[in-house]
Amino acid sequence: MSAKDNVPKFSIKTAAPEKLKSDCVVAGVFEENRLSAAARALDKASKGRIAAALKSGDMEGRAGSTLLLRDLPGIAAPRVLLVGLGKQEEFAEKAYRDAVANAVKAVGNTAARDALVTLTEIKVGKRSADWNLTQAAIVAGDALYRFDRMKSKPDNNSSRLNSIGFLAADSLAAKSLKQGVAITNGMALARDLGNTPSNVCTPAYLATQARQLARTYGFKCKVLDRAACEKLGMGSFLSVAKGSDKPPMFIELRHDGGKKGAQPIVLVGKAITFDAGGISLKPPADMDEMNYDMSGGGAVLGAFRAIGELGLKLNVVGLVPACENLPDAHANKPGDIVTSMSGQTIEILNTDAEGRLILCDALTYAERFKPAAVVDLATLTGACVIALGHHPSALYANDDKLAQALEAAADAAWDRVWRMPLWDEYQEQLKSNLADMANIGGRAGGSITAACFLSRFARNYTWAHLDIAGTAYRSGRDKKGSTGRPVPLLVQYLIDQAGRG
Ligand code: BES
Ligand code: MN
Ligand code: ZN
């Protein structure tokens, strides 16, 4: 099953909500029974039935609450779902996103096959109607996403909802919806890849997925095997790969949608399909989640799906170094020194700091594209999760303009980042007596020293690094799952760049 099957069809609806035929019409209500415009229209058409239901106290507009009404007079749809929006004065991005998610989940629990969601017409702070639509597609796609390919039979709670209309003032809004749908589909691919366990989602599996994307959307795809990487001198990447019998794959995707010869944007994604830590073995707790250590690579493939779907007028290269990090007779040992493709030597003091070892060679390889900018994405450090938690990704950059462009895209896509320092003072923590640098910088500022390590391989172009350890997936036995981040931010950034050129 392709990821696309998980996501319902989205469309724009412009008619009056009471007149539109659908299995369920969704309208928002603020606290103190303040009706949104659509709820007011439905109330009027039904001669006060919405207000009467609220007056009964069954639903008071609190955030997270919903109320399903059936067969109201004067309304074409057989179901009306009221969704609590919370306090009107406090209605902002999070409240809007929560309301859309709650709405589609609640409709999904009914027998409705299609729905009309009117929440898109509510003003969200300073955001535009276009923002509302793009976000609605992203949030609805997220809320309805299921991953059941590993179950012997699909969960019987999967919803029948396969089509959602969003209310908008005019059908020109189609462009914003299309961007949201492309982002949702890209996220669904990244999530499918992340959620697929490491015994299935191997480096070779990722390579197959990349080739398939290339066939579907007309990208160029090249997969470098171990011998090809050896020839290039990728001694750091290959030192990690040695510890597994699954062959490493260095995946390269190219979308030549921009002007011929225009400098490309290069996306680099860490794809450790399983990170056991190597000889510096991780403790057992939560090690089951280390299949998500390919989320950076998964996000690159997800972003490419969206790039293909949107046909972005931009040159983009995707690089995904993929391998496993296992303890083995051939694995790196603490104290080993390897030579990276850049020629710089690295003393591997901890084999669990492997992400930077595969990324550094990919960053060097990226030079050949004479990139306009390079953005790498990696579930790089546990320290990042300690520093920032699960809401923003950590952003590092050697260029303020690039950082600002990514911050703006992250804000627009509501896939937020927080900029962190890359000061020279931190670089000193990477000193080694025996090699050009060590691969770890001690416990203090672990996400920062990891970024400092990478910066030494990104001196020849403008570069940013996103540590997505806290944002790419959710942890916990019954909660774990890929989030699809930072696909929204990447796609928004690329859309912005394509618009400028
Ligand atoms: N993939 C991990 C980082 C990670 C840890 C992501 C937990 C998500 C949750 C990475 O390869 C790693 O093991 N990093 C080490 C670095 C340390 C040895 C300097 C870490 O964070 O502990
Ligand atoms: Mn590791
Ligand atoms: Zn790792």
Side-chain angles (χ1 to χ4, degrees):
M1 188 175 83
S2 85
K4 213 165 198 161
D5 302 328
N6 286 328
V7 180
K9 274 199 194 61
F10 298 125
S11 58
I12 306 256
K13 296 284 192 275
T14 51
E18 68 276 14
K19 295 209 178 93
L20 274 161
K21 287 205 177 67
S22 85
D23 291 346
C24 184
V25 49
V26 177
V29 179
F30 293 104
E31 280 183 23
E32 295 166 13
N33 296 348
R34 287 198 226 165
L35 305 184
S36 64
R40 227 176 297 126
L42 295 171
D43 187 55
K44 199 169 163 214
S46 66
K47 305 225 158 42
R49 292 286 291 270
I50 308 273
L54 293 172
K55 213 168 162 203
S56 75
D58 284 353
M59 201 269 206
E60 295 173 320
R62 262 194 297 279
S65 65
T66 57
L67 178 67
L68 188 68
L69 304 171
R70 294 199 52 107
D71 301 324
L72 298 191
I75 293 174
R79 298 176 189 80
V80 173
L81 181 79
L82 300 180
V83 179
L85 304 174
K87 292 198 171 65
Q88 190 159 17
E89 318 78 74
E90 291 169 12
F91 192 69
E93 288 87 351
K94 180 181 183 300
Y96 174 71
R97 288 174 52 105
D98 289 350
V100 173
N102 290 334
V104 298
K105 279 184 198 148
V107 178
N109 289 334
T110 72
R113 288 172 189 279
D114 60 59
L116 168 69
V117 174
T118 66
L119 304 175
T120 36
E121 49 125 50
I122 303 170
K123 185 79 183 149
V124 183
K126 290 193 173 63
R127 302 292 180 171
S128 66
D130 287 308
W131 186 89
N132 282 21
L133 272 172
T134 307
Q135 284 292 311
I138 294 173
V139 173
D142 178 65
L144 294 169
Y145 172 84
R146 297 267 172 312
F147 182 76
D148 51 18
R149 69 170 278 209
M150 290 294 149
K151 305 219 173 189
S152 56
K153 39 186 179 302
D155 282 348
N156 51 12
N157 67 358
S158 5
S159 95
R160 290 180 229 188
L161 187 58
N162 60 26
S163 154
I164 301 181
F166 295 108
L167 195 65
D170 64 80
S171 49
L172 289 180
K175 191 173 156 216
S176 316
L177 185 66
K178 192 176 166 206
Q179 292 182 354
V181 169
I183 289 172
T184 281
N185 289 337
M187 289 169 84
L189 174 59
R191 297 175 86 175
D192 281 354
L193 295 173
N195 290 331
T196 302
S198 72
N199 58 330
V200 179
C201 182
T202 59
Y205 181 92
L206 290 175
T208 305
Q209 294 281 320
R211 288 196 195 94
Q212 202 171 310
L213 279 174
R215 265 199 307 279
T216 307
Y217 298 109
F219 305 137
K220 292 194 188 101
C221 181
K222 196 152 105 185
V223 179
L224 307 181
D225 62 5
R226 192 191 303 267
C229 294
E230 237 153 47
K231 230 185 200 159
L232 287 164
M234 292 185 174
S236 188
F237 170 47
L238 290 176
S239 78
V240 177
K242 269 186 322 180
S244 164
D245 64 359
K246 296 200 176 67
M249 302 278 159
F250 189 99
I251 302 163
E252 175 184 330
L253 274 173
R254 285 186 74 142
H255 167 68
D256 295 320
K259 291 199 188 79
K260 211 172 163 186
Q263 289 178 282
I265 291 168
V266 180
L267 305 178
V268 180
K270 169 182 174 183
I272 295 289
T273 56
F274 191 78
D275 182 10
I279 298 297
S280 312
L281 189 63
K282 286 186 181 295
D286 301 333
M287 206 210 271
D288 59 287
E289 295 178 355
M290 280 299 129
N291 61 301
Y292 292 107
D293 211 21
M294 41 55 68
S295 296
V300 171
L301 298 189
F304 264 79
R305 181 184 197 170
I307 292 167
E309 222 174 280
L310 294 171
L312 287 188
K313 293 194 168 42
L314 197 69
N315 296 334
V316 191
V317 175
L319 299 177
V320 180
C323 69
E324 285 185 326
N325 186 28
L326 299 183
D328 176 89
H330 300 283
N332 278 327
K333 299 174 295 297
D336 285 0
I337 296 177
V338 298
T339 303
S340 66
M341 184 177 173
S342 72
Q344 298 177 95
T345 62
I346 304 162
E347 184 182 14
I348 301 174
L349 292 176
N350 188 321
T351 67
D352 197 12
E354 86 297 339
R356 59 199 82 180
L357 295 176
I358 74 168
L359 288 170
C360 68
D361 282 345
L363 290 174
T364 301
Y365 184 81
E367 289 182 7
R368 68 181 48 207
F369 302 104
K370 306 201 168 28
V374 177
V375 181
D376 81 65
L377 336 152
T379 47
L380 202 61
T381 65
C384 179
V385 190
I386 303 302
L388 294 176
H390 298 287
H391 303 299
S393 303
L395 167 67
Y396 298 87
N398 66 7
D399 181 86
D400 287 340
K401 269 213 185 102
L402 176 60
Q404 282 152 16
L406 288 166
E407 283 175 321
D411 178 74
W414 209 248
D415 178 7
R416 289 178 299 171
V417 299
W418 192 255
R419 189 158 180 200
M420 304 273 277
L422 264 181
W423 298 335
D424 290 342
E425 283 80 351
Y426 291 102
Q427 294 280 359
E428 301 193 4
Q429 288 174 240
L430 294 171
K431 272 193 181 139
S432 159
N433 301 339
L434 305 174
D436 295 345
M437 69 193 88
N439 78 326
I440 54 170
R443 277 171 56 80
S447 173
I448 302 170
T449 52
C452 285
F453 179 96
L454 296 178
S455 73
R456 297 172 177 223
F457 300 84
R459 289 190 177 118
N460 297 330
Y461 45 67
T462 52
W463 159 80
H465 157 63
L466 292 165
D467 194 333
I468 57 172
T471 52
Y473 66 95
R474 278 182 277 271
S475 293
R477 173 79 73 93
D478 55 354
K479 282 195 279 298
K480 75 175 173 178
S482 173
T483 61
R485 291 179 65 184
V487 169
L489 143 63
L490 292 177
V491 176
Q492 186 64 52
Y493 168 68
L494 295 171
I495 289 171
D496 295 346
Q497 295 308 305
R500 275 173 5 116

